[in-house]
Amino acid sequence: MDLSFSDEDLAFQAEVREFFATQLPADVKDRCDRGLHFTKEGQQRWQKILHKKGWMAPNWPAEYGGTGWTTTQKYIFAQEMGAASAPAPMPFGVSMVGPVIYTFGNQEQKDYYLPRILNSDDWWCQGYSEPGSGSDLASLQTKAVRDGDDYIVNGQKIWTSHAQYADMIFCLVRTDSSAKAQEGISFLLIDMKTPGITLKPIIGLDKEHTLNEVFFDDVRVPVKNRIGEENKGWTYAKFLLGNERTTIARVAQSKRKIARLRQIAKNERVNGGYLEEDRDFMRKLNQIEIDLTALEYTELRMISMLESGKKLSAEPSLLKIKGTEIQQRLTDLLVESLGMYGAPYEAQRDYAGINEAPIGPDYATGPMAEHLYLKAASIYGGSNEIQRNIISKMVLGL
């Protein structure tokens, strides 16, 4: 097992690092660094820069606009992106539905949708979860009934991230109620401007609007917007979820937060001294750094396995569990490090344009919002409880 980078990989790392240092817009970097939600304009501007460079979709095959990079190069790119406070492209298009389209879609679908995803012309959201159908996704009830060249879709999706910005939604719908749960599902691509679609915002703990309910009331969807075969959507759904969970460890982003915490500890005063002199606080920070180092080497071992042609089993689930737990511990500690300055918090829309001076230091803006939002990190992308079940089955045989 070789965990070191070759000379070629190090040269590639230097090229990527230079690109992020010179091409990442300062306002986009600042929001990402603070843990604030993106603006659609800023995210779209950054994605077009990535696309112009040819780096929008590293995991796609070269024939569809991918980079042709090795597994190690993809890993280096992701780590440097996190270290530079550069937001990753919106995953719903490039990481989720895009691979489904080029793997299972027909040529017409590939020719139309893939260039639009790469150029950020279409923004996508994910229509999977429903009330009562989250971890047990196969129990979904949104129905699509065939009517000539169309399906008529009725039902509801929930926890739909950033649907308020989306042009398209990829949906799992039930097309055969008499079949076994997984066998009666189809995969549809639906234009969000279609009559009969309505959104209801869900305001999270961070007081921000990132989640939505999506309602379908006699929504007419062309049959040509179905991916693959009718009633075979569960196959495509499982393929998509495998792509969703491969980049969730977020080691580089957590390293950046540790560096930020160490800098805050040099500036913040507590009990007559600086926070970096507080043994209990530094013990917690050092323990997180030790756990993150262990996670990083686990991820590197996974990369080594992939490079040598081996298949993964429960490794992505392990990365997801430990990665999200570390993210939550770090934001907990960030809020703790700010003391009373960490408590005042209002949603961005409530204080936008206010000319009052900030209550605390500049670095106090953002941590509370991210701390509250990341309470969901152990749920989204497949809850950590489900990931533990996967590990117990695949590794322990339980």
Side-chain angles (χ1 to χ4, degrees), residues 19-21 23-25 28-30 32-33 43 46 50 77-89 250 253 256:
F19 172 78
F20 287 132
Q23 300 301 313
L24 176 62
V28 176
K29 173 182 171 64
D30 181 66
C32 186
D33 196 42
Q43 183 73 13
W46 168 233
L50 285 172
F77 179 75
Q79 295 306 302
E80 292 301 322
M81 178 177 284
S85 297
R250 297 176 66 84
Q253 291 86 341
R256 192 179 72 239

Side-chain angles (χ1 to χ4, degrees), residues 2 4-15 72-73 76:
D2 186 4
S4 60
F5 293 143
S6 67
D7 291 341
E8 292 79 6
D9 290 333
L10 291 174
F12 174 76
Q13 183 181 49
E15 178 189 0
T72 299
Q73 287 175 317
I76 289 172

Side-chain angles (χ1 to χ4, degrees), residues 132-382:
S133 299
S135 297
D136 182 20
L137 187 58
S139 67
L140 65 89
Q141 296 300 311
T142 295
K143 292 184 179 181
V145 177
R146 185 74 177 261
D147 181 30
D149 292 333
D150 295 332
Y151 288 107
I152 307 300
V153 179
N154 285 278
Q156 176 188 358
K157 298 294 179 178
I158 199 168
W159 313 121
T160 312
S161 299
H162 308 298
Q164 71 272 29
Y165 299 135
D167 305 293
M168 300 289 297
I169 182 171
F170 55 90
C171 271
L172 293 181
V173 297
R174 187 160 301 285
T175 43
D176 186 352
S177 300
S178 64
K180 291 182 180 179
Q182 291 91 340
E183 296 177 4
I185 293 172
S186 296
F187 194 109
L188 296 184
L189 314 179
I190 305 176
D191 190 326
M192 289 292 285
K193 297 184 294 295
T194 308
I197 297 178
T198 56
L199 299 182
K200 180 180 178 182
I202 299 174
I203 305 304
L205 280 175
D206 60 350
K207 299 184 179 181
E208 299 292 351
H209 176 198
T210 58
L211 302 169
N212 301 270
E213 293 179 271
V214 183
F215 298 90
F216 301 88
D217 184 13
D218 289 335
V219 175
R220 189 169 287 271
V221 180
V223 172
K224 68 177 183 178
N225 284 26
R226 187 190 70 223
I227 293 292
E229 298 179 50
E230 187 173 88
N231 300 325
K232 298 297 183 182
W234 191 249
T235 299
Y236 318 137
K238 290 191 295 182
F239 172 86
L240 183 147
L241 290 173
N243 282 279
E244 180 185 11
R245 292 167 184 161
T246 54
T247 58
I248 206 161
R250 297 176 66 84
V251 170
Q253 291 86 341
S254 293
K255 281 186 176 182
R256 192 179 72 239
K257 283 188 174 64
I258 287 175
R260 186 180 181 190
L261 270 164
R262 293 197 179 280
Q263 187 59 48
I264 290 173
K266 291 179 181 293
N267 297 327
E268 288 296 312
R269 299 187 67 87
V270 59
N271 298 327
Y274 287 98
L275 188 57
E276 65 178 355
E277 299 166 357
D278 186 295
R279 296 177 66 181
D280 182 60
F281 179 85
M282 295 307 296
R283 175 189 60 78
K284 288 185 281 189
L285 178 56
N286 291 335
Q287 185 60 59
I288 294 175
E289 188 164 25
I290 291 169
D291 293 344
L292 182 63
T293 300
L295 178 65
E296 180 179 19
Y297 276 90
T298 300
E299 191 171 35
L300 285 169
R301 286 196 297 270
M302 187 181 79
I303 298 300
S304 180
M305 289 172 62
L306 292 171
E307 285 283 29
S308 62
K310 297 179 181 178
K311 292 186 177 181
L312 303 178
S313 59
E315 288 85 0
S317 293
L318 177 61
L319 294 181
K320 198 276 178 179
I321 293 169
K322 299 303 295 183
T324 54
E325 288 178 348
I326 287 172
Q327 291 168 49
Q328 291 174 336
R329 289 163 61 194
L330 279 169
T331 57
D332 287 350
L333 207 56
L334 269 169
V335 171
E336 179 183 332
S337 73
L338 297 172
M340 63 180 179
Y341 295 128
Y345 171 70
E346 293 294 338
Q348 288 181 274
R349 64 181 182 280
D350 293 337
Y351 64 73
I354 294 178
N355 58 8
E356 296 178 359
I359 296 175
D362 179 67
Y363 53 73
T365 302
M368 179 59 79
E370 188 175 28
H371 163 70
L372 294 171
Y373 181 75
L374 284 180
K375 290 298 182 184
S378 50
I379 301 173
Y380 61 59

Side-chain angles (χ1 to χ4, degrees), residues 108-123:
E108 181 182 358
Q109 291 166 340
K110 295 176 187 179
D111 291 343
Y112 180 76
Y113 290 113
L114 296 181
R116 296 181 64 83
I117 291 172
L118 290 175
N119 198 45
S120 300
D121 294 330
D122 285 336
W123 277 48

Side-chain angles (χ1 to χ4, degrees), residues 86-130:
M90 287 294 290
F92 306 109
V94 72
S95 300
M96 297 184 187
V97 76
V100 170
I101 292 172
Y102 67 63
T103 303
F104 301 105
N106 59 40
Q107 194 60 48
E108 181 182 358
Q109 291 166 340
K110 295 176 187 179
D111 291 343
Y112 180 76
Y113 290 113
L114 296 181
R116 296 181 64 83
I117 291 172
L118 290 175
N119 198 45
S120 300
D121 294 330
D122 285 336
W123 277 48
W124 289 80
C125 60
Q126 180 182 30
Y128 270 29
S129 295
E130 298 180 5

